[in-house]
Amino acid sequence: MQHPAFEEVSYHHHTDDAEFKKRVRKTTILLSVITVIELGIGLAIYTIHKGENPSELLVLMFKGMVCILSLAKAYYIVSVFMHLGDEIRNMIMTIVVPLLLFIWFIAAFIIDGNSYKNLRNRYDKHFQESTTPKGHHKAAEEKPAEPAKSEKQ
Amino acid sequence: MATTATAHQTKWWSGGKSPFNLEYGKLMMWYFLMSDAFTFGAFLISYGSIRFSQNFWPDPNVVFNAFPGAGHQNLPLAFVSVMTFILIISSVTMVLAVHAGHKGDRAGVIKWLAWTIVGGLAFLGCQAWEWHHLITGEHAVLLDGQIQMVGQTTTVNPWGELAEPAVVTDALKNSSPQILAQIVHDQDHSHTWKELAGMSKDQLLGMINSAELHVRKTGPVAFGGYFYGITGFHGFHVFSGVIINIVMLIMAQKGVFDRRGHYLMIEKTGLYWHFVDLVWVFVFLCFYLI
Amino acid sequence: MSEATHIHPGSVGHEVAHDDHHHGHHEQSFITKYIFSQDHKTIGKQFLITGIIWAIVGGLFSVLFRLQLGFPGQSFPILETFFGHWAKGGTIQPEFYYALVTMHGTVLVFFVLTAGLSGTFANLLIPLQVGARDMASPFMNMLSYWFFFMASIVMISSLFIQTGPASGGWTVYPPLSALGQASDGSKLGMDLWIVAMALFVVSSLLGGLNYIATILNMRTKGMSMTRLPLTIWALFFTAVLGVLSFPVLLSGLILLLFDRNLGTSFYLSDIVVAGEVLPNEGGSAILFQHLFWFLGHPEVYIILLPAMGMVSEILSVNSRKPIFGYMAMLGSLFAIAILAFLVWAHHMFVTGLNPFLGSVFVLLTLLIAVPSAIKVFNWLTTLWRGNIRLFPSTLFAIGFVSLFISGGLTGIFLGNSTIDIHLHDTMFVVAHFHIVMGVASMFGMFAGVYHWFPKMFGRYLNATLGYVHFWVTMIGSYLIFWPMHYEGLAGMPRRYLDKSIWKSFNQFGDLDKMITVVSIIVFAVQLMFVFNFFYSIFKGRKVTSTNPWGANTLEWTTPINPGHGNWEGEIPEVHRWAYDYGKDGREFIPQTEPVGANESKH
């Protein structure tokens, strides 16, 4: 714990004070703007849901957009605030490459969650009847074995 | 002799130096954060898995629509956006603290760390209010054939689908007078509690405006568990971050880092703090936006 | 930016350890030297000895439940003397049996083969073989051991409570593990299990971060990554696996703890226990299995990789030949580490997992055969026409290869979801994983202990006892586990207390008796090894040269009993890879020797 700093480690990040401040300011504004856009989309989804005939596709598109925007936010926080962008390329790779594991991690869990729902809807009629939303989704009632794709909301 | 490094071409991997030009503590902090990312990732992915296994999931805009001091107004996402901005701003102040540390500017470090701590405490305060509001806030819910007033807890979720009017009418008849009085009071503040308590069940039923009454069924139970579990775990990180920041502030105040000749500890603390902000981006995404 | 000019050999970021070495000796009290030590070698020994104690406990558990499996319902009065109502009338009670099975798994997988194996050898070997005075953070390293120690205390304490330890299997699947009313073993014992494992995760995280930072940052001058001994590479990937997968287990266990104590429904839905309908709704028991196996599968490699690394090293040293295919070994380690994260659901083919998803997991699982085969071929070709010295360490290393092949082949059976429908939850599975990761890793560990014992204690283990240890264990392991394949193929389920009501399994009665008898013998021989271990620490033959095995790696350039800081004077510089054996007519060329002008290329 009480080691001195490595002597051989050199620090060459953002020596220019003014430039650094400018970069921080820019990033802050960017993060705020993205957040505002995200909130706008969140409210848009809300309005769509309140409407008479909500378009599931539109909602899904908006949700996809929010996900991408969040990834952008994460990129700016990690790259600028955490200075990962200033590190040596190999260092960046040791952080970014293991994160790729999340792709299969997320995909498999989500796919299996969805599959579990389908199984329950097929074999547990009570579950299906008591939890499938009836309001806007009359279609789901008509063909009970095949749950509609849009029960998430 | 194997490593005759020149100024232009450093053999990073040949041993005798850090291949990433990083001191070991910072390296460990980075990999710890990776590890922690998997902890949070596992929580959020479990949440996703459960959510995909349900036919119905509450709309966050309906759940999170309150604002301190705004009473019963419907303000979806307003409060959480305040929380998000608090965290972004505290991240900015942390960047400035780290930057001041680079320059060896003790006063700057202290100033910006103090602001970061304020931001962290403000965030925790907001979270406490939100939790309190969700747990104690009472909502008319159709439960066991009658109307009950329940909050969002780990065992009940009041944010199910809106119940059909016919079912609600039946359920009202089965409900206790206290519940009915509460519903009347929520709809129309002109009656005092004392008046309402003296009324008969039929009187109360007559006073309820069924058209305005939004009774929901119970929703997926896991919603509450995940919400409290994950925001709680994040809040715990914020809390520990605040504690670490306070320790750093005291150490900076006492000139410990000046004596060491570097402010590396502040950098590592900064990494941790930004990570907490980073996690919030995804908590915000998963619970409030989609 | 000329960092290189700042570097002096011996000051690779480790001033403190350096200082310790020069004037720390007389100041060290017993407590700082042997108990709260920050010396990586002492911490390694602490891990090893704690691991040995745990191995005796876990091994004894297996002997006890083997008694029940070999002699169902028979009375052994001595058991009642020791275990009271758990073995009423001398017969092992069902609750006791399940507690034994659960604790055997937990203890062996986590406490012996994770902490005892990678904890020991990562601590001992990483600084010594990369050329560092100590770990990157000796303090965190010490914490790592003491968190493990605390986890051990909590786990042990769960053995002594009224309702007994966790007994839902080492995988603690809910709903059984989540509902206290479901069984005695799901009461307090389960909470203690979770707490102990949480402490264990912290320990493994502290250790793993240290190992990674040390291997990356603290290599001595000239020790490029491709000059590292394969032990270090294996321990490096082990640490990466641990750092990225243990937190997922922690998340899963936190959710389980909530389900147990806060009434949440993460894993629970539609449950009736003893006539009582539970209110829990909407959870998924499969979710826990996903979370558990997201750690559980990498865990298999956390256990196996250190053994692989040590076996590679020991085979090369003792066949006096360079390791065959160093880069292929390295590549296959990397491939195994990646694949370890992608295949977890092959443990769940019959749980209600989506069959289509299962087929993807089959594909990914079978891919592991490729790097595994590469490794096997490279070990065999390293031995091929070598000048083999059959020390106990060599024998155990060769035994490892044998077991890895036998157990690996049955893995191909089980990796196919269609065959798994027949084989799942049978003795076939028990046979497979015990051979390929249980016994094989134990063999890797024994090989490591026999090989590095002189470095740890400055004395040799008794070789004669070592040969007896090897042959009995080797033959015994096959006698125990090989017949289980047949039982499993015949459909005999695992975990069952008593299978005698199935007439068709009666044919295996004598086989099961034989297995039980052999496991008692093998257990006794392990106790003999433990005796050898402790006896040799104090009375073993003394090591007289710094490099008793004629090995190339850096740990053999230190004094016979190195102090804290490892090298007197400066840390040596490295000029070559670790495997220059039998080169240019020389038996071995240490890594510290500069490359000669006329030297041939390897």
Side-chain angles (χ1 to χ4, degrees):
Chain A
M1 292 296 278
Q2 59 277 67
H3 296 305
F6 279 33
E7 273 182 40
E8 77 270 25
V9 175
S10 62
Y11 302 98
H12 46 83
H13 316 312
H14 43 74
T15 33
D16 185 0
D17 204 49
E19 198 197 340
F20 171 73
K21 289 247 162 85
K22 211 176 113 195
R23 210 163 131 215
V24 169
R25 201 175 305 127
K26 233 176 87 184
T27 313
T28 314
I29 293 168
L30 206 62
L31 287 175
S32 310
V33 169
I34 294 176
T35 309
V36 169
I37 296 173
E38 283 182 339
L39 288 168
I41 294 177
L43 292 175
I45 294 175
Y46 179 51
T47 335
I48 294 172
H49 272 294
K50 275 207 304 196
E52 267 311 295
N53 218 346
S55 155
E56 288 303 329
L57 186 71
L58 202 61
V59 170
L60 214 61
M61 262 176 51
F62 273 136
K63 288 183 176 177
M65 274 165 66
V66 191
C67 291
I68 292 166
L69 287 173
S70 288
L71 285 176
K73 264 165 85 173
Y75 167 79
Y76 282 110
I77 291 174
V78 175
S79 167
V80 179
F81 284 1
M82 294 169 93
H83 296 298
L84 188 63
D86 303 329
E87 304 291 0
I88 289 175
R89 200 185 130 80
N90 280 325
M91 172 65 193
I92 300 176
M93 286 300 140
T94 63
I95 301 296
V96 174
V97 172
L99 289 179
L100 297 178
L101 292 172
F102 270 114
I103 297 172
W104 182 229
F105 190 1
I106 294 172
F109 271 63
I110 299 287
I111 292 169
D112 202 42
N114 193 53
S115 156
Y116 184 57
K117 173 185 68 191
N118 293 341
L119 282 173
R120 286 189 82 180
N121 280 337
R122 188 180 297 268
Y123 296 109
D124 183 351
K125 289 295 164 207
H126 172 72
F127 170 76
Q128 188 187 29
E129 279 155 24
S130 60
T131 60
T132 308
K134 297 187 182 71
H136 301 295
H137 302 282
K138 292 276 189 308
E141 279 179 296
E142 281 154 25
K143 38 174 202 166
E146 196 60 42
K149 288 219 162 67
S150 47
E151 314 78 349
K152 262 197 320 168
Q153 284 313 304
Chain B
M1 77 179 201
T3 50
T4 38
T6 65
H8 298 293
Q9 210 173 12
T10 315
K11 290 185 176 170
W12 290 109
W13 291 96
S14 61
K17 67 166 83 62
S18 164
F20 303 140
N21 197 23
L22 280 179
E23 165 265 350
Y24 79 92
K26 214 164 149 186
L27 206 58
M28 278 159 101
M29 181 50 98
W30 266 109
Y31 296 137
F32 165 70
L33 296 180
M34 287 291 294
S35 180
D36 220 18
F38 273 76
T39 319
F40 274 108
F43 277 134
L44 289 171
I45 293 167
S46 309
Y47 162 79
S49 182
I50 287 293
R51 188 168 163 173
F52 267 80
S53 74
Q54 294 292 325
N55 288 316
F56 174 86
W57 202 258
D59 183 351
N61 292 293
V62 175
V63 182
F64 307 106
N65 67 349
F67 200 90
H72 284 284
Q73 279 182 50
N74 183 22
L75 298 166
L77 298 184
F79 189 54
V80 71
S81 53
V82 171
M83 288 166 74
T84 305
F85 278 110
I86 289 174
L87 219 48
I88 291 179
I89 297 306
S90 82
S91 223
V92 175
T93 55
M94 192 75 219
V95 171
L96 295 170
V98 171
H99 184 64
H102 269 301
K103 293 187 295 183
D105 168 12
R106 189 165 104 187
V109 169
I110 291 169
K111 178 175 93 181
W112 292 117
L113 264 185
W115 279 114
T116 311
I117 293 165
V118 169
L121 290 173
F123 180 86
L124 286 172
C126 290
Q127 201 167 37
W129 183 87
E130 193 182 35
W131 275 39
H132 179 258
H133 175 79
L134 280 172
I135 295 170
T136 58
E138 296 194 312
H139 308 274
V141 170
L142 187 66
L143 203 67
D144 301 330
Q146 48 175 304
I147 311 273
Q148 296 187 14
M149 303 301 267
V150 294
Q152 169 67 68
T153 65
T154 53
T155 46
V156 192
N157 176 347
W159 312 108
E161 226 201 329
L162 281 175
E164 294 87 355
V167 183
V168 173
T169 317
D170 286 345
L172 279 171
K173 287 176 196 143
N174 298 333
S175 307
S176 71
Q178 288 86 350
I179 296 282
L180 296 178
Q182 212 171 337
I183 295 171
V184 174
H185 183 79
D186 283 352
Q187 284 190 337
D188 179 3
H189 294 286
S190 59
H191 302 281
T192 64
W193 282 110
K194 208 171 178 184
E195 278 170 31
L196 289 170
M199 291 184 190
S200 75
K201 198 167 165 181
D202 285 336
Q203 274 176 301
L204 286 166
L205 279 173
M207 289 168 70
I208 290 174
N209 178 0
S210 312
E212 290 263 308
L213 182 61
H214 299 297
V215 176
R216 291 180 177 275
K217 301 180 192 168
T218 51
V221 183
F223 179 89
Y226 277 112
F227 178 77
Y228 293 123
I230 296 178
T231 56
F233 200 63
H234 177 263
F236 171 71
H237 275 70
V238 177
F239 176 72
S240 53
V242 168
I243 299 291
I244 295 170
N245 277 340
I246 290 173
V247 173
M248 290 301 125
L249 184 72
I250 295 167
M251 283 169 82
Q253 181 80 46
K254 292 198 163 165
V256 176
F257 302 124
D258 290 332
R259 257 171 275 135
R260 278 189 201 166
H262 59 80
Y263 279 73
L264 282 174
M265 291 287 272
I266 302 288
E267 275 193 52
K268 285 174 249 179
T269 316
L271 284 178
Y272 183 75
W273 190 260
H274 296 311
F275 175 76
V276 171
D277 185 21
L278 181 68
V279 168
W280 182 253
V281 168
F282 291 99
V283 173
F284 180 54
L285 172 73
C286 293
F287 280 103
Y288 298 90
L289 291 176
I290 60 176
Chain C
M1 220 178 71
S2 54
E3 292 79 14
T5 54
H6 295 297
I7 302 166
H8 314 286
S11 73
V12 189
H14 237 289
E15 308 300 333
V16 169
H18 200 81
D19 290 348
D20 269 2
H21 182 68
H22 285 304
H23 50 77
H25 280 310
H26 53 278
E27 291 167 19
Q28 277 195 326
S29 65
F30 180 81
I31 288 186
T32 56
K33 194 167 177 199
Y34 293 109
I35 304 201
F36 294 105
S37 170
Q38 298 192 17
D39 182 351
H40 69 98
K41 296 183 293 296
T42 311
I43 296 170
K45 289 173 206 167
Q46 288 173 329
F47 268 108
L48 182 57
I49 290 170
T50 318
I52 286 176
I53 293 166
W54 268 121
I56 297 170
V57 174
L60 182 68
F61 287 169
S62 71
V63 167
L64 291 173
F65 67 69
R66 261 327 304 184
L67 281 180
Q68 164 63 24
L69 288 173
F71 307 92
Q74 196 155 322
S75 173
F76 302 95
I78 189 163
L79 293 182
E80 195 174 12
T81 320
F82 281 108
F83 301 107
H85 74 277
W86 291 103
K88 208 178 288 167
T91 42
I92 289 171
Q93 298 300 299
E95 298 78 19
F96 189 36
Y97 173 80
Y98 288 112
L100 287 172
V101 175
T102 304
M103 282 296 126
H104 169 75
T106 307
V107 164
L108 264 298
V109 167
F110 293 109
F111 290 62
V112 178
L113 290 173
T114 303
L117 177 57
S118 83
T120 303
F121 288 102
N123 271 302
L124 179 76
L125 294 181
I126 288 174
L128 281 171
Q129 289 197 335
V130 304
R133 300 223 175 264
D134 204 319
M135 286 287 179
S137 169
F139 178 73
M140 273 171 61
N141 209 25
M142 178 185 80
L143 280 187
S144 162
Y145 173 74
W146 287 103
F147 268 99
F148 168 54
F149 186 81
M150 283 193 283
S152 298
I153 295 292
V154 175
M155 195 63 91
I156 290 214
S157 70
S158 82
L159 298 175
F160 293 98
I161 57 176
Q162 180 66 30
T163 49
S167 354
W170 77 280
T171 52
V172 296
Y173 285 168
L176 179 56
S177 62
L179 301 169
Q181 63 268 51
S183 84
D184 269 357
S186 302
K187 293 191 167 76
L188 182 60
M190 193 59 229
D191 286 317
L192 291 173
W193 191 95
I194 294 174
V195 171
M197 286 311 298
L199 290 167
F200 188 85
V201 171
V202 174
S203 156
S204 116
L205 187 61
L206 289 167
L209 293 172
N210 237 328
Y211 308 152
I212 294 173
T214 309
I215 293 171
L216 287 175
N217 255 19
M218 319 259 303
R219 284 165 291 121
T220 184
K221 206 173 168 188
M223 183 64 96
S224 63
M225 293 300 272
T226 46
R227 283 178 182 170
L228 286 173
L230 284 171
T231 31
I232 300 301
W233 270 108
L235 291 165
F236 178 71
F237 285 122
T238 305
V240 173
L241 288 174
V243 164
L244 297 183
S245 68
F246 266 113
V248 177
L249 176 76
L250 184 67
S251 302
L253 292 182
I254 289 173
L255 297 183
L256 182 61
L257 203 63
F258 287 173
D259 266 6
R260 292 176 54 76
N261 298 310
L262 297 179
T264 53
S265 303
F266 298 118
Y267 305 131
L268 302 173
S269 193
D270 308 301
I271 293 167
V272 181
V273 181
E276 182 202 355
V277 181
L278 299 185
N280 304 82
E281 164 61 40
S284 159
I286 304 178
L287 173 65
F288 178 82
Q289 304 195 14
H290 274 296
L291 290 169
F292 181 87
W293 289 111
F294 192 90
L295 157 91
H297 196 74
E299 172 67 22
V300 172
Y301 292 101
I302 289 172
I303 287 172
L304 201 54
L305 288 185
M308 285 179 165
M310 290 190 294
V311 163
S312 308
E313 173 76 14
I314 291 165
L315 284 183
S316 176
V317 171
N318 287 339
S319 58
R320 314 311 284 157
K321 268 183 68 192
I323 189 83
F324 188 91
Y326 177 86
M327 289 309 279
M329 284 300 225
L330 218 162
S332 53
L333 279 177
F334 184 64
I336 287 174
I338 301 279
L339 286 170
F341 281 110
L342 309 180
V343 299
W344 73 88
H346 68 210
H347 297 268
M348 306 162 51
F349 284 143
V350 292
T351 57
L353 178 83
N354 182 334
F356 173 73
L357 194 63
S359 69
V360 181
F361 278 103
V362 171
L363 174 73
L364 290 164
T365 302
L366 296 185
L367 280 179
I368 300 182
V370 177
S372 306
I374 291 175
K375 296 201 82 71
V376 167
F377 288 130
N378 285 350
W379 286 319
L380 296 180
T381 34
T382 301
L383 285 168
W384 180 253
R385 309 188 77 177
N387 189 9
I388 301 173
R389 305 182 303 196
L390 286 178
F391 299 136
S393 58
T394 328
L395 287 173
F396 274 108
I398 296 170
F400 169 89
V401 178
S402 160
L403 289 160
F404 184 67
I405 296 171
S406 317
L409 287 175
T410 52
I412 299 176
F413 291 48
L414 291 168
N416 285 286
S417 54
T418 43
I419 305 176
D420 193 62
I421 292 170
H422 175 63
L423 291 177
H424 81 274
D425 271 343
T426 65
M427 296 304 278
F428 192 91
V429 180
V430 176
H432 160 70
F433 74 77
H434 273 92
I435 290 182
V436 79
M437 85 175 214
V439 185
S441 303
M442 285 307 281
F443 270 49
M445 187 168 170
F446 287 135
V449 172
Y450 280 100
H451 188 76
W452 278 289
F453 194 85
K455 191 77 261 165
M456 284 189 245
F457 299 104
R459 290 170 189 269
Y460 293 98
L461 280 166
N462 183 306
T464 314
L465 288 180
Y467 290 123
V468 174
H469 179 210
F470 169 74
W471 285 110
V472 176
T473 314
M474 183 75 192
I475 295 166
S477 305
Y478 272 115
L479 281 177
I480 292 168
F481 294 113
W482 195 267
M484 287 186 189
H485 290 106
Y486 303 121
E487 296 181 343
L489 284 168
M492 188 195 267
R494 65 191 277 212
R495 295 203 176 105
Y496 280 32
L497 173 76
D498 185 354
K499 289 161 261 195
S500 50
I501 54 162
W502 281 279
K503 291 244 160 48
S504 61
F505 296 144
N506 285 350
Q507 56 173 322
F508 295 121
D510 290 336
L511 202 56
D512 265 333
K513 282 193 183 64
M514 187 276 288
I515 293 175
T516 300
V517 171
V518 175
S519 45
I520 292 169
I521 295 170
V522 170
F523 181 68
V525 170
Q526 307 316 307
L527 292 181
M528 185 198 76
F529 164 75
V530 174
F531 166 76
N532 189 2
F533 183 89
F534 286 105
Y535 181 82
S536 303
I537 290 177
F538 302 105
K539 295 279 161 87
R541 186 160 57 89
K542 275 195 172 163
V543 176
T544 49
S545 87
T546 53
N547 192 356
W549 309 124
N552 290 342
T553 39
L554 283 181
E555 74 270 31
W556 306 109
T557 61
T558 58
I560 293 171
N561 286 307
H564 194 179
N566 297 338
W567 284 271
E568 283 164 0
E570 294 193 336
I571 298 180
E573 195 175 327
V574 166
H575 299 281
R576 58 177 75 236
W577 74 334
Y579 297 104
D580 272 338
Y581 293 102
K583 186 185 180 193
D584 294 343
R586 288 179 61 189
E587 203 186 341
F588 68 100
I589 312 175
Q591 281 190 286
T592 48
E593 194 173 308
V595 180
N598 305 321
E599 205 172 305
S600 59
K601 296 211 161 182
H602 53 66

